[in-house]
DNA sequence: TTGCTCCTCACGTCACGTGAGGTGGC
DNA sequence: TTGCTCCTCACGTCACGTGAGGTGGC
C-alpha cells in the first residue's frame, strides 16, 4: 500500500501552495498519485515530496516549467546534471547582462555632460565585399554580431584576404521596428570569392548621414537617436537599411569604451 | 516648431519596437507629442528620445513600468537618483536570493547520501511566553522571521528577561497552504509582561511529532516533508498550527549550516 | 448537523508579441 | 494607382493568484 496525503497536507509538507500544486497537476509537472474518481480529491504519495523539493528549488532559480519537466524525466543522473548545469550557465549570462545594463545606465546618466558627437554627410561608394547574412531576432543580434565579427576577422587571416576597408554591417530597419529582420556583416575586398559560409556581394553606393559612436554596442541607440534627430531636423527621408563600419572593435581592444563604430544612414532630400 | 518623427523612425532611433512604443503609449509611460486626429498616426518629438533611452535601460534592469513612470515624473535629480538606487538595491537582493537558491539546490542534490534525521514523539507542556504576532504573506515570512528573532533576542537583554527555554514560533498551516496566514514568535518566560510590541500569551500543551532540522531555513521544507511522511505512515491527524524552536540560530553562529531548528507538529491519533 | 476542506470554472496579472482586417499617405 | 506604413481590436504568453459558487468528508 502507498501512503498518500491530501493536497493540504502535501502543501504544508512541501511549502508549495495548494493553488500551485493544482497548477502543476494541470500542466502535468507533478501529478497526484491517485485521484478519487467520485470526489475529484487529489491524493499525493509521500514519496512525491522529493520531486516537489526539486521543483521548488528550480523554480526559485526561475527555471521554466517545461525545462523542469525535462529534469524530472531525465533518464540518468548525468543527464539531469547536464540540464541543471545548462540552466546555471544561463543564470550566469543573465547576471552578466544585468551587470552590463547597470553600466549602460551609468553611461547614460553621466553622458549629459559630454559633448554631443557631430553628424556629417557623405556619399559611400559602391564596394565589392565578402558577406555573411542572416535573418535574425533583435534579441539575438548582439551575440550574432560578436561571433560573426570574430569569424570574419579570422577569415581575413586564414584566406589571406586584403581588406580594402574596415569590416561593416548592413541592417534592415525592420530589425529595430519589428524586432526581427535581416543583418549582414561584410569585409570589403577587391575580388570577393565565396566560401562555405560567406558569399560575394556589392554594397551599393549611398548618400548618407554619418555619426561615429564611441563605446559599447549596448549604447548605440544614443548615436542612432542623434542621427535620427539630424535627419528629422534637415527634413531628409531615411532609407530602409543602415550601415555600420567597425573602426575599432574587439579585434583592437577588449575595452569596449574604446570601440568606435561609424553609422551611416542612407538619406534622400525630401521632395519639397 | 517642434521636429517630430513617425513611430517607425522613432523605433529605429531608440531601438524600441513599434509594438512596444504603442504599448508605452497605451499605459501612459511615453506618450507621443502629437496624434493626428484624422489618421490616428503617432508623432514623436525627437526630444523624447532621451526618455526612451532611460526607459530602455531601466526595462533592461527589469524595473516595472509603474516605477519607471515615477522616475520620469521625478521633480529633482536627487529624487530620480533615489528611485534608481532603490531599484539597484532591489537587484542586489535578488542576486543574493539567487545565490542562496543555488546553494539550496546543491544541498538537496548532495543530501541523498545523508542519514535521514529521526522523527520522535513528545508532549510539549503549556508555556507562558512573551510574543510578537502578525498576519503575513509566505513570501515575506523569512525576512520577518530574521528581523523579529533578532528583535526578541535584543528584548531579552534590554528587559532583563529570564527565558525558560529557546525562542519559538507558531505558524498557521494556512501560511503554507494558502501563501498567507498568522505567524508568532515568542520567548518563554515565567511571568510575561507586555511591552509596546510584544504581548503575553500561553503556548498551549500539545502532543506532537518532532524533528530537528539542521541548516538554513530555506531548506526547512525537507524536514517538514519528513515529518509529514511520518504522520501519514502512522495514520495520525495533523493539527492546524506548527511550532518551531530555535535551538541554534543567528544569535549563536552566522554559519547557517550550523543552525538547529526543532519542529513540532501537533498530532492526534486518528479515530479507527 | 456544522464547518472545514476540497473541487472546478472564469478571470486577472505583467509586458508585451502575434495576427487579422482595415485605412492613410506618398 | 500601388504598396508601404500605420491604425485598432482581440487574443496569446507565463506561472500562477483571486474570487465565485458548489460539493465531499468527518
Amino acid at each position: 500500500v502507498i501512503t498518500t496525503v491530501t493536497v493540504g497536507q502535501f502543501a504544508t509538507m512541501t511549502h508549495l501552495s495548494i493553488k500551485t500544486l493544482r497548477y502543476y497537476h494541470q500542466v502535468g509537472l507533478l501529478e497526484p498519485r491517485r485521484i478519487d474518481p467520485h470526489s475529484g480529491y487529489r491524493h499525493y504519495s509521500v514519496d512525491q515530496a522529493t520531486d516537489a523539493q526539486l521543483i521548488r528549488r528550480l523554480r526559485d532559480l526561475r527555471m521554466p516549467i517545461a525545462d523542469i519537466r525535462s529534469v524530472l524525466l531525465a533518464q540518468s543522473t548525468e543527464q539531469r546534471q547536464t540540464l541543471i548545469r545548462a540552466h546555471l550557465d544561463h543564470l550566469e549570462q543573465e547576471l552578466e547582462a544585468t551587470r552590463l545594463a547597470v553600466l549602460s545606465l551609468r553611461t547614460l546618466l553621466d553622458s549629459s555632460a559630454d559633448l554631443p558627437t557631430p553628424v556629417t554627410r557623405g556619399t559611400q561608394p559602391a564596394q565589392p565585399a565578402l558577406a555573411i547574412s542572416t535573418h535574425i531576432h533583435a534579441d539575438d543580434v548582439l551575440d550574432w554580431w560578436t561571433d560573426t565579427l570574430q569569424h570574419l576577422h579570422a577569415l581575413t587571416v586564414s584566406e589571406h584576404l586584403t581588406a580594402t576597408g574596415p569590416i561593416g554591417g548592413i541592417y534592415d530597419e525592420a530589425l529595430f521596428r519589428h524586432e526581427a529582420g535581416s543583418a549582414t556583416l561584410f569585409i570589403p575586398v577587391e575580388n570577393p570569392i565565396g566560401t562555405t559560409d560567406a558569399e560575394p556581394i556589392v554594397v551599393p553606393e549611398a548618400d548618407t548621414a554619418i555619426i561615429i559612436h564611441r563605446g559599447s554596442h549596448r549604447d548605440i541607440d544614443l548615436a542612432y537617436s542623434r542621427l535620427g534627430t539630424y535627419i528629422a531636423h534637415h527634413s531628409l527621408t531615411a532609407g530602409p537599411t543602415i550601415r555600420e563600419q567597425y573602426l575599432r572593435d574587439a579585434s583592437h581592444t577588449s575595452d569596449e569604451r574604446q570601440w568606435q563604430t561609424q553609422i551611416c544612414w542612407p538619406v534622400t532630400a525630401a521632395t519639397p
Side-chain angles (χ1 to χ4, degrees), chain A:
Chain A
V1 286
I2 354 166
T3 309
T4 61
V5 295
T6 62
V7 237
Q9 176 87 351
F10 196 68
T12 309
M13 283 169 62
T14 60
H15 289 201
L16 293 170
S17 78
I18 293 178
K19 298 278 184 177
T20 299
L21 287 170
R22 285 208 265 259
Y23 179 68
Y24 289 166
H25 177 198
Q26 188 190 319
V27 299
L29 181 64
L30 184 63
E31 310 206 24
R33 188 69 83 223
R34 196 177 71 80
I35 294 160
D36 188 294
H38 175 233
S39 66
Y41 276 32
R42 293 168 176 82
H43 295 279
Y44 291 85
S45 156
V46 291
D47 300 334
Q48 297 187 278
T50 55
D51 277 359
Q53 287 155 7
L54 185 55
I55 291 170
R56 210 166 80 82
R57 281 156 182 78
L58 294 177
R59 282 299 303 142
D60 281 349
L61 290 170
R62 297 182 291 283
M63 185 185 274
I65 300 275
D67 294 4
I68 298 180
R69 199 181 287 120
S70 303
V71 172
L72 293 178
L73 293 174
Q75 299 299 324
S76 63
T77 312
E78 293 82 55
Q79 197 183 338
R80 181 174 280 210
Q81 285 290 348
T82 304
L83 290 168
I84 290 174
R85 205 161 299 143
H87 183 66
L88 294 181
D89 287 350
H90 174 75
L91 284 180
E92 289 280 358
Q93 284 172 33
E94 252 186 35
L95 170 60
E96 176 64 7
T98 299
R99 217 179 53 74
L100 293 173
V102 171
L103 280 185
S104 179
L105 176 62
R106 293 248 158 81
T107 303
L108 179 73
L109 297 177
D110 296 349
S111 69
S112 52
D114 293 1
L115 286 180
T117 325
V119 175
T120 59
R121 287 284 290 282
T123 300
Q124 305 295 111
Q127 281 185 312
L130 197 58
I132 296 177
S133 284
T134 186
H135 192 278
I136 198 172
H137 193 271
D139 295 343
D140 306 325
V141 90
L142 249 180
D143 282 342
W144 175 82
W145 175 77
T146 307
D147 294 346
T148 309
L149 196 61
Q150 193 184 5
H151 182 60
L152 284 181
H153 277 300
L155 212 64
T156 315
V157 176
S158 67
E159 303 285 315
H160 307 292
L161 301 176
T162 310
T164 58
I167 291 181
I170 302 174
Y171 303 97
D172 191 351
E173 261 196 341
L175 205 47
F176 311 116
R177 294 178 177 219
H178 308 295
E179 297 273 271
S182 68
T184 299
L185 279 179
F186 63 86
I187 318 173
V189 287
E190 285 287 358
N191 295 299
I193 296 159
T195 70
T196 359
D197 43 7
E199 53 167 9
I201 62 163
V202 175
V203 182
E205 188 191 71
D207 186 18
T208 61
I210 303 166
I211 197 170
I212 291 182
H213 169 69
R214 288 154 208 276
S216 165
H217 259 59
R218 240 160 241 279
D219 294 322
I220 210 160
D221 59 326
L222 303 179
Y224 273 73
S225 291
R226 282 199 52 75
L227 256 190
T229 300
Y230 173 94
I231 290 169
H233 273 144
H234 292 76
S235 305
L236 301 170
T237 300
T241 58
I242 297 177
R243 291 125 194 253
E244 294 180 358
Q245 283 176 3
Y246 309 109
L247 309 183
R248 283 181 71 82
D249 60 30
S251 71
H252 301 90
T253 170
S254 60
D255 180 3
E256 298 198 0
R257 289 169 301 178
Q258 296 192 26
W259 289 3
Q260 288 183 24
T261 304
Q262 179 168 283
I263 307 168
C264 308
W265 200 339
V267 289
T268 49
T271 42

